Amino acid sequence: MNKLDRQSYQLVVIGAGPAGISAATTAANLGIDVVVLDEQPSPGGQIYRAIANTPAHRSALLGADYQRGKNLVEVFGASGAKYLPHTTVWSLNSHRQIGILRDGQASIIEAERVIVASGAMERPVPFPGWTLPGVMNVGAAQILLKTAGVVPANGTVIAGTGPLPLLVAWQYLRAGVSVKAVLELSPGSNLWRAAPRLPRALVAGDYIRRGLKYTLDLHKGGVPIYYGISKLQAQGKNHIETVEYGWDILGFSRSETINADSLLVHFGVIPRTNLTKAAGCNHIWDRGQQCWRPQVDIWGNTNVPGIGIVGDNAGIGGARSAEHSGRLAALEAVRSLGIISTQQRDRQCKDDLNWMQKDREVRPFLEALYRLPDSLLVPQDNNTLVCRCEEISAGQIRQAVKEGHTGPNQVKFYLRCGMGPCQGRQCALAVAHIVAAENKYPVSKYTPFRVRPPIRPLSIAQLANLGRAED
């Protein structure tokens, strides 16, 4: 199951989160020759990370949503789909040729159909002090909790926006970790924007109920939650020492400071687009999600024949929606390969289509409630580092725009921001927002950073060995 035994498959699924393993399970059960490529050591993706190996007490601590992944992974394991862990995908082109790195060896495999299910990433938002040791993403902290039971030794402050900070604060409370404060950076005006969308959100099940439960449990546990925070800064010399936060109300500013050697931040999630951009898939600006995402139809199809994109990789929808979209894309892939008819596909997809549409009813409410203001998306302090790889500040980007480099790609060429090891994952959106703000244009009017393979770092030796292997 874990061995690459040939270079061509009917279906290759990239990613083993809920969308990827649902797609692979569905396709394998219909007789398709399918292989799943996964960077991680075991299936589950970020949301169900290490679910097969997590001790029972830790699984219970993480909650019912996490435990749901256990059955999903077990069904996938019994499907007969080939699973390749520890496999990095560094290239995908429009001919469905996939560059992979496995056991230190680079190689190319081909597929008749490709389903990209590489998920989402936390939105990088630069702010003063965000590069200090001790400052990390909430999702990264949750991974440490899931995989190794590691938590901040001296407590932590959690800041940002969205449901995830509440969930992790709740999980930390259950684990006995001191959460010194939860700082919600969504503007208070978002409540008025979100209110008309609440009735539709209630159709989507228990999302609202779970959020209220986390909030109430945190209050009962003595965790202070502060809303409407407009300023955030981490301070320290060689490590974070304090968190400074504050409000701007009617022209008056108020600031507070918390002593802390740990700050966890989260500003929502966005699709991972480097691979899909490299493949030539069309991307559009999603105003609600404030990011670029691939353009797909209900089956996950893109403008590139034979390449589908599912789950949060195609637009943020959550784990349940990802499962349904994975199964829909698998049925479409099987149909396109001539295994089932269009009528069979449409008959088998009804439940998943209905449940996915119902599950997504909550998205307009969440997007309105947790919408980020420009004051966060555009770093105000010129000294704030934006590109960590090349050490480019917000002030340098503004100066480049003033000198005539009027688009994100022009700034990239001039300053090298986005050319480091992360290939722009950490700075692309921030650069685009700064450029748009300086030019007083909507960010949607600009072309995002262009992406070329390898989208993951490869050594010269690995590339050289790839050529010899092909010969």
Side-chain angles (χ1 to χ4, degrees):
M1 185 178 180
N2 296 335
K3 182 180 178 182
L4 184 65
D5 52 6
R6 59 184 181 279
Q7 302 302 311
S8 180
Y9 294 87
Q10 286 181 294
L11 174 64
V12 171
V13 178
I14 302 173
I21 59 179
S22 294
T25 300
T26 301
N29 286 337
L30 289 170
I32 290 297
D33 177 30
V34 54
V35 61
V36 178
L37 310 177
D38 187 16
E39 282 189 327
Q40 306 304 324
S42 60
Q46 303 294 356
I47 187 69
Y48 302 132
R49 183 182 281 258
I51 184 67
N53 307 311
T54 300
H57 71 278
R58 196 188 305 153
S59 179
L61 179 151
L62 291 166
D65 284 346
Y66 177 70
Q67 296 164 19
R68 174 182 170 81
K70 189 173 181 63
N71 180 66
L72 203 65
V73 169
E74 288 175 350
V75 172
F76 165 65
S79 69
K82 186 179 294 297
Y83 174 65
L84 298 181
H86 301 290
T87 303
T88 298
V89 176
W90 53 267
S91 176
L92 171 65
N93 65 25
S94 60
H95 301 291
R96 303 179 301 282
Q97 296 170 323
I98 306 156
I100 66 172
L101 182 64
R102 181 171 168 78
D103 297 328
Q105 174 65 55
S107 60
I108 302 289
I109 63 174
E110 298 182 347
E112 295 181 57
R113 295 279 305 194
V114 175
I115 294 178
V116 183
S118 51
M121 59 177 282
E122 291 186 85
R123 181 196 304 271
V125 173
F127 62 91
W130 76 304
T131 59
L132 279 173
V135 181
M136 65 187 301
N137 287 333
V138 167
Q142 190 186 46
I143 287 171
L144 289 174
L145 174 60
K146 290 177 179 178
T147 57
V150 174
V151 297
N154 301 316
T156 189
V157 175
I158 299 178
T161 185
L164 187 59
L166 283 178
L167 171 60
V168 173
W170 179 79
Q171 291 170 339
Y172 273 2
L173 181 67
R174 288 160 58 88
V177 178
S178 171
V179 179
K180 299 179 179 182
V182 175
L183 310 177
E184 174 56 61
L185 274 72
S186 296
S189 58
N190 282 5
L191 288 170
W192 301 106
R193 183 182 292 110
R197 298 168 172 82
L198 180 58
R200 281 182 61 189
L202 295 174
V203 175
D206 60 350
Y207 285 97
I208 308 300
R209 180 190 61 79
R210 291 201 303 267
L212 290 174
K213 172 180 170 51
Y214 299 150
T215 302
L216 290 173
D217 285 352
L218 289 170
H219 281 304
K220 289 178 183 177
V223 177
I225 304 177
Y226 301 112
Y227 297 95
I229 302 300
S230 56
K231 295 183 294 184
L232 178 67
Q233 183 171 347
Q235 297 178 330
K237 293 182 179 179
N238 299 317
H239 192 282
I240 180 175
E241 298 170 5
T242 62
V243 177
E244 183 177 314
Y245 64 97
W247 303 263
D248 288 316
I249 303 173
L250 300 177
F252 296 95
S253 294
R254 175 188 169 191
S255 296
E256 301 285 348
T257 300
I258 301 176
N259 293 325
D261 61 7
S262 168
L263 170 63
L264 308 181
V265 295
H266 179 79
F267 302 97
V269 292
I270 58 176
R272 295 181 183 271
T273 57
N274 279 32
L275 190 64
T276 52
K277 287 177 185 173
C281 300
N282 286 342
H283 289 69
I284 58 174
W285 179 258
D286 190 310
R287 186 175 178 276
Q289 297 183 4
Q290 296 177 279
C291 63
W292 283 285
R293 63 168 177 81
Q295 188 173 24
V296 299
D297 64 15
I298 195 66
W299 307 104
N301 291 320
T302 68
N303 61 298
V304 180
I307 295 181
I309 308 172
V310 297
D312 283 353
N313 213 160
I316 307 305
R320 300 288 182 91
S321 178
E323 291 179 34
H324 301 307
S325 70
R327 285 192 278 268
L328 291 173
L331 289 170
E332 168 64 4
V334 174
R335 182 208 64 80
S336 71
L337 293 170
I339 308 301
I340 61 174
S341 66
T342 301
Q343 291 76 16
Q344 288 173 303
R345 179 203 66 182
D346 293 346
R347 188 165 55 248
Q348 293 187 45
C349 83
K350 286 183 179 179
D351 286 343
D352 282 299
L353 191 58
N354 290 336
W355 279 108
M356 184 176 72
Q357 291 173 340
K358 179 181 177 182
D359 196 70
R360 289 181 175 177
E361 292 288 351
V362 76
R363 298 314 307 179
F365 173 77
L366 294 178
E367 289 166 8
L369 183 62
Y370 295 118
R371 185 174 181 82
L372 292 171
D374 288 342
S375 58
L376 275 177
L377 293 172
V378 182
Q380 305 301 304
D381 187 341
N382 279 336
N383 294 321
T384 300
L385 206 63
V386 173
C387 176
R388 304 176 72 153
C389 299
E390 300 295 326
E391 299 185 341
I392 306 298
S393 69
Q396 289 174 281
I397 295 169
R398 289 190 173 98
Q399 184 60 36
V401 175
K402 291 175 182 176
E403 292 175 4
H405 305 278
T406 56
N409 281 289
Q410 286 78 16
V411 171
K412 175 182 177 181
F413 299 151
Y414 183 59
L415 295 177
R416 288 191 53 82
C417 48
M419 292 189 181
C422 87
Q423 294 277 315
R425 290 175 182 84
Q426 294 297 309
C427 69
L429 267 179
V431 171
H433 280 291
I434 294 172
V435 170
E438 287 298 297
N439 289 324
K440 296 180 172 55
Y441 279 109
V443 68
S444 58
K445 297 296 183 183
Y446 293 94
T447 302
F449 279 176
R450 298 184 184 93
V451 177
R452 295 178 178 86
I455 65 163
R456 296 286 188 182
L458 283 180
S459 69
I460 297 297
Q462 288 165 341
L463 285 173
N465 288 334
L466 169 65
R468 286 195 289 269
E470 289 181 338
D471 289 341

